[in-house]
Amino acid sequence: MEVRYTDVDYLVFSDAASLVASGKSPYQRSTYRYSPLLAFLLVPNSIIHPSWGKFLFSASDLLVGLFIHTILELRKVPENLCTCALMVWLFNPFTFSIGTRGNCEPIVCAMILWIIICLMNGKVLQAAFWYGLVVHFRIYPIIYSIPIILVLDPHCFLYGLKPALSSWVGQGNSTQSIPSTAVPESCGIWIALTSMFTRARIMFGLISGAVFFAFTGLFFYLYRWEFLHEALLYHLTRTDPRHNFSIYFYHIYLHYEHEFSVVERLISFLPQFLVQLVLIVCFAQDLPFCFFAQTVAFVAFNKVITAQYFVWFFCLLPLILPWSNMKLKWTGLSCILLWMGTQTHWLMWGYLLEFKGKNVFLELWIASILFLAANTFVLIKIIRYHTYSSLFQRLEFSSSDNDLKEGKKSN
Amino acid sequence: MPPSTVSYHMESWQHVQVHICRILGIQLIFLVGFGFCMSSSFVSCEVGGCTSNVGSTNQSLNIPPYFEKHITKSYFDKYDSLLDSDFLDFISHELFPGSCELLLDNLNLVLRLSVQQRSLIGDGSHRHLSSSFRFNIQSELIAELPIHFCEAIIIEKLPYGIFADPFELQHLLQRGVFMGAAVFGDTNLELPSVHSNRSLVEVHMDVDLNTFSRHKDGLEINIDLPLHIRYPPLEESGYSNIELGAPDLFMRCSIEAKSHNQSCLLMLKDNGVALGNGPVVWRVPSGIKAHARAVSIVTFISAILSTLSIVLTSVYYSSTKLCKNLKQS
């Protein structure tokens, strides 16, 4: 068969797991660029059955569905909307094929959603633990660090208390009157700066950092520089000249004989950095939406894009759908068809290049430009039709007795 | 349903969820610890030399233990990269022990390479190199030789830009396609040709000379080797032609001597027999240097335009929503 169903990555995980099972380093397996935790999880591939990993990833896929339902239920989304949003994940052919093909992304998605649930329940320490672990497991969730810190706003979130969540109140209506990132008029700069360092924020930063460094330190002790290079540094400096959905692949291939200068690297990083910064500043308080928009932009502007990365934002899409005014006919359909159409267009040229040996590098690169345009269009539409809704309600202090009261809804 | 009942069900469901997650967390820790403690051997595979299942194969075919060694492994202990001239020296001076001369002279009379056929099967970046070798055997002589066991060893010296996946070969080993297989040299699967070195594949195939000597057509060895292409250097024409040279063929036999058994290695020469269908050439698409400037400019303009679109949209709609919310409050 020309194109196998099982992902090549699954064979890599399995080989690494069998190396671990025989007491060796998983990094003896060429192209294994993940945390050793993944190899440990797949050791039963060698003992029980080679499909153990696929069952694990598929179970994580279902767990993501459970967490989506939990999050929407906590925000009092009506049951019918919950079900529709859930179906977007569970019946999405991209997502269920990723797990069954043997890709580990559903585990990462489950951890991200669990972090959101922990924050919604006021469990900062738990959220911090899982956040440190997920960043160790897969570097990309580091982009969520600033929004999480910002959402732990002292006006909305007090350490040790369950925060008040803003509920779904129907499309078109926002539940937060004033963004809590606004600085009170009477505060000076020093007070504003010091008020940023709340107990919740400090604890989250310390615990997540400690967990990340603990796991990293442990595996560095076991596997030394090979682990550090393959599991961490490789992802930070990765430039892959082989064809992928990124607009940069052909540029990298055409210039691969020469080392890229620092200026060239900075220029290619600038779009990513700017978009992430603006999305965080604009949408941090609406945490699920901020996560979603950041992830779409991160994937679209990355130097390497493979199909498994799409799962990173597909798991967040159901969390924002109840707050979207976009109608399926015809805006929604046009977004879906445009995104899938440009992707299929790219896959066609990719197939001709890789499996038929035709020189279609230029056509493939143009297809990747069109795919970036489609991603941009879809993201703009989603932003345009989204009803901004802060995750947490603003807390109000009573001047007479210092009791905390829930913030009033803006309706 | 009264609110208190709804609240009770929700709290119970939350407790169940927390319980499930605690179980998952404990299982995760257990698996991590289990992974640490595992010490049983299942597959032994060194990068650059997959020798998986040689042990089990040895037991089933009574292969002598001194047969396990790959004959070309020591080349890369001595040399950093694969060069044809260095490899010829290696074959001439390091592979043939003197004690086998009598046997080797006899074997040379017995085996004659008659036909070689090689072709690339498939399209694109992933193909199979199909090789077929036929030997004429003088059956009346073969029975007189004190041969215990023989194997054919095929050495493919891959050119720049073509590589074999050692882990793919390992899976073929596990399925019994080969008796032994190993890749030496540059086994990095991801680098383009510009930054990679050559590699070498050594394949071992079981040969029972006594069985084959009863066949009129002689001994035939067929090998189907999966190969892959690296991104080639840039070409003006848009294609790169990579030629695959002829393999080196060896026969290694175990002979019964007075004091102990030993292995003898014979290099099978083509005796001037040309390849049945000409040299094998792999035509690979490559990037075109003339595209470089335009591609870079358009790539960065596209990135900038997308960035500006998203930034302006985000700023506009978040400030619009903020104004709307302020009015509502």
Side-chain angles (χ1 to χ4, degrees):
Chain A
M1 189 178 168
E2 274 190 357
V3 185
R4 289 183 196 161
Y5 185 76
T6 297
D7 201 317
V8 168
D9 278 346
Y10 189 72
L11 303 175
V12 174
F13 304 156
S14 300
D15 291 339
S18 61
L19 286 168
V20 165
S22 49
K24 297 181 180 179
S25 165
Y27 299 102
Q28 287 188 20
R29 195 344 174 159
S30 174
T31 71
Y32 181 78
R33 306 207 199 277
Y34 305 89
S35 166
L37 275 176
L38 182 60
F40 293 157
L41 281 173
L42 263 62
V43 162
N45 270 23
S46 306
I47 301 163
I48 300 172
H49 194 276
S51 294
W52 156 264
K54 289 187 178 183
F55 281 108
L56 185 66
F57 303 147
S58 301
S60 302
D61 189 293
L62 296 175
L63 197 61
V64 168
L66 174 66
F67 289 163
I68 289 170
H69 189 265
T70 304
I71 291 170
L72 295 178
E73 211 175 42
L74 283 172
R75 298 191 75 184
K76 298 185 174 52
V77 173
E79 195 59 36
N80 58 338
L81 274 182
C82 258
T83 306
C84 290
L86 198 52
M87 282 166 62
V88 168
W89 168 260
L90 290 176
F91 294 104
N92 187 335
F94 282 107
T95 57
F96 64 66
S97 64
I98 284 285
T100 52
R101 287 189 72 204
N103 211 286
C104 68
E105 304 302 342
I107 293 182
V108 180
C109 294
M111 289 162 78
I112 299 284
L113 293 180
W114 180 245
I115 290 165
I116 296 175
I117 293 172
C118 289
L119 290 171
M120 291 168 78
N121 289 324
K123 298 190 189 307
V124 173
L125 297 184
Q126 252 194 71
F129 171 82
W130 287 102
Y131 184 70
L133 182 59
V134 82
V135 173
H136 163 81
F137 197 80
R138 218 66 168 102
I139 309 292
Y140 89 89
I142 194 70
I143 64 174
Y144 304 144
S145 57
I146 298 176
I148 292 176
I149 293 292
L150 287 175
V151 92
L152 298 176
D153 190 312
H155 296 99
C156 305
F157 196 102
L158 283 182
Y159 186 83
L161 292 179
K162 186 172 176 178
L165 301 172
S166 60
S167 306
W168 187 88
V169 288
Q171 288 157 343
N173 297 314
S174 175
T175 57
Q176 188 73 21
S177 56
I178 300 167
S180 29
T181 46
V183 177
E185 288 177 6
S186 57
C187 294
I189 293 173
W190 174 249
I191 294 172
L193 281 172
T194 52
S195 68
M196 284 172 65
F197 293 96
T198 63
R199 188 176 173 188
R201 285 169 170 168
I202 291 170
M203 289 306 293
F204 185 88
L206 284 177
I207 299 298
S208 58
V211 168
F212 173 79
F213 284 112
F215 275 100
T216 305
L218 170 66
F219 293 123
F220 180 75
Y221 171 74
L222 289 174
Y223 303 117
R224 299 293 171 185
W225 286 104
E226 210 175 21
F227 152 72
L228 208 61
H229 183 262
E230 298 291 338
L232 288 179
L233 299 178
Y234 169 82
H235 297 288
L236 297 176
T237 58
R238 181 181 183 184
T239 52
D240 198 339
R242 293 172 300 170
H243 54 283
N244 61 86
F245 290 107
S246 172
I247 59 171
Y248 296 107
F249 92 87
Y250 198 25
H251 164 77
I252 292 169
Y253 175 31
L254 291 171
H255 293 88
Y256 211 74
E257 294 179 30
H258 320 287
E259 282 284 326
F260 288 109
S261 66
V262 174
V263 174
E264 280 174 323
R265 287 179 192 269
L266 278 174
I267 290 173
S268 56
F269 181 64
L270 206 57
Q272 179 77 276
F273 175 77
L274 199 58
V275 167
Q276 292 296 316
L277 186 65
V278 170
L279 289 172
I280 290 169
V281 168
C282 292
F283 302 118
Q285 295 302 320
D286 188 348
L287 195 68
F289 183 76
C290 186
F291 276 17
F292 175 82
Q294 278 189 273
T295 313
V296 171
F298 181 79
V299 171
F301 287 99
N302 207 24
K303 289 220 186 70
V304 178
I305 305 173
T306 60
Q308 68 198 68
Y309 297 175
F310 303 151
V311 178
W312 298 348
F313 54 75
F314 274 131
C315 68
L316 299 166
L317 180 62
L319 303 183
I320 67 165
L321 282 178
W323 283 266
S324 178
N325 296 318
M326 192 189 295
K327 302 288 179 207
L328 192 60
K329 283 184 181 180
W330 292 101
T331 314
L333 266 177
S334 65
C335 287
I336 293 168
L337 291 173
L338 186 66
W339 193 78
M340 288 177 61
T342 49
Q343 202 181 131
T344 307
H345 176 240
W346 187 97
L347 287 170
M348 178 192 75
W349 293 115
Y351 177 81
L352 287 174
L353 173 67
E354 184 165 348
F355 294 99
K356 294 299 174 189
K358 309 286 182 199
N359 188 323
V360 291
F361 279 107
L362 202 63
E363 291 88 340
L364 189 59
W365 167 71
I366 291 170
S368 65
I369 300 274
L370 292 175
F371 186 59
L372 174 67
N375 277 293
T376 306
F377 175 82
V378 170
L379 184 57
I380 286 171
K381 285 294 180 190
I382 290 175
I383 293 171
R384 154 84 177 83
Y385 286 100
H386 180 71
T387 304
Y388 180 91
S389 173
S390 296
L391 184 61
F392 300 127
Q393 288 192 36
R394 192 176 172 79
L395 301 164
E396 282 184 5
F397 287 90
S398 165
S399 58
S400 58
D401 57 6
N402 286 331
D403 285 337
L404 298 170
K405 293 178 185 174
E406 282 188 8
K408 292 178 186 174
K409 292 181 184 180
S410 60
N411 293 334
Chain B
M1 189 181 281
S4 57
T5 310
V6 171
S7 170
Y8 171 77
H9 281 304
M10 280 192 68
E11 282 179 10
S12 299
W13 177 235
Q14 284 170 358
H15 281 137
V16 169
Q17 288 174 334
V18 167
H19 194 60
I20 289 170
C21 294
R22 277 194 187 135
I23 290 171
L24 286 173
I26 291 166
Q27 284 180 343
L28 175 68
I29 293 167
F30 173 75
L31 276 168
V32 170
F34 186 71
F36 268 113
C37 296
M38 281 305 298
S39 60
S40 60
S41 178
F42 181 73
V43 168
S44 166
C45 178
E46 296 171 2
V47 174
C50 293
T51 57
S52 174
N53 281 354
V54 168
S56 59
T57 311
N58 274 351
Q59 286 165 9
S60 61
L61 296 177
N62 296 319
I63 299 170
Y66 44 82
F67 262 47
E68 291 182 27
K69 194 175 159 186
H70 293 284
I71 63 174
T72 53
K73 190 177 181 200
S74 53
Y75 172 86
F76 286 95
D77 293 337
K78 192 175 172 185
Y79 298 94
D80 290 330
S81 59
L82 179 61
L83 290 174
D84 290 336
S85 52
D86 290 341
F87 195 74
L88 273 173
D89 283 340
F90 170 77
I91 289 173
S92 310
H93 299 119
E94 296 192 33
L95 283 187
F96 299 99
S99 57
C100 295
E101 275 174 4
L102 182 63
L103 172 69
L104 294 179
D105 287 343
N106 288 333
L107 263 180
N108 256 320
L109 292 173
V110 166
L111 290 175
R112 294 278 177 198
L113 176 63
S114 62
V115 175
Q116 280 195 73
Q117 293 258 357
R118 276 159 75 75
S119 61
L120 266 178
I121 298 171
D123 298 311
S125 305
H126 315 285
R127 302 194 192 185
H128 288 249
L129 177 62
S130 177
S131 306
S132 175
F133 310 98
R134 186 170 291 159
F135 303 89
N136 293 326
I137 296 177
Q138 297 189 41
S139 53
E140 59 277 8
L141 291 177
I142 201 83
E144 294 173 6
L145 296 174
I147 292 172
H148 175 54
F149 172 79
C150 282
E151 61 173 353
I153 301 175
I154 301 95
I155 311 284
E156 293 280 0
K157 298 188 298 293
L158 301 176
Y160 284 101
I162 297 180
F163 68 94
D165 184 344
F167 300 97
E168 187 177 18
L169 291 183
Q170 182 192 345
H171 289 296
L172 291 174
L173 260 179
Q174 288 172 352
R175 284 173 20 212
V177 175
F178 304 127
M179 208 176 78
V183 182
F184 298 102
D186 192 341
T187 53
N188 189 316
L189 309 178
E190 296 174 324
L191 289 177
S193 290
V194 168
H195 294 303
S196 63
N197 285 312
R198 291 177 66 186
S199 59
L200 176 156
V201 181
E202 179 176 328
V203 175
H204 294 226
M205 301 285 283
D206 174 34
V207 168
D208 186 347
L209 288 179
N210 292 317
T211 303
F212 279 109
S213 67
R214 293 195 282 273
H215 290 273
K216 291 179 188 174
D217 295 335
L219 169 67
E220 186 168 310
I221 299 171
N222 297 306
I223 295 175
D224 204 40
L225 193 63
L227 297 175
H228 311 273
I229 211 79
R230 299 183 188 280
Y231 266 34
L234 306 179
E235 294 282 347
E236 291 300 326
S237 64
Y239 287 92
S240 211
N241 291 320
I242 304 175
E243 190 169 315
L244 281 141
D248 294 311
L249 298 172
F250 298 87
M251 191 72 72
R252 185 163 67 177
C253 296
S254 146
I255 57 166
E256 294 164 3
K258 285 180 187 172
S259 56
H260 61 274
N261 290 346
Q262 66 178 91
S263 73
C264 291
L265 191 67
L266 167 69
M267 184 168 186
L268 298 169
K269 296 190 181 161
D270 62 12
N271 293 323
V273 174
L275 284 171
N277 49 354
V280 176
V281 177
W282 195 334
R283 194 159 179 258
V284 183
S286 67
I288 299 173
K289 209 174 256 185
H291 293 164
R293 190 175 160 79
V295 165
S296 300
I297 291 170
V298 174
T299 298
F300 285 109
I301 288 175
S302 305
I304 289 166
L305 286 175
S306 291
T307 304
L308 283 175
S309 308
I310 295 170
V311 165
L312 292 172
T313 305
S314 303
V315 170
Y316 175 76
Y317 282 105
S318 65
S319 57
T320 303
K321 289 175 204 302
L322 176 61
C323 291
K324 182 181 164 189
N325 294 340
L326 284 171
K327 283 177 190 168
Q328 284 177 345
S329 65

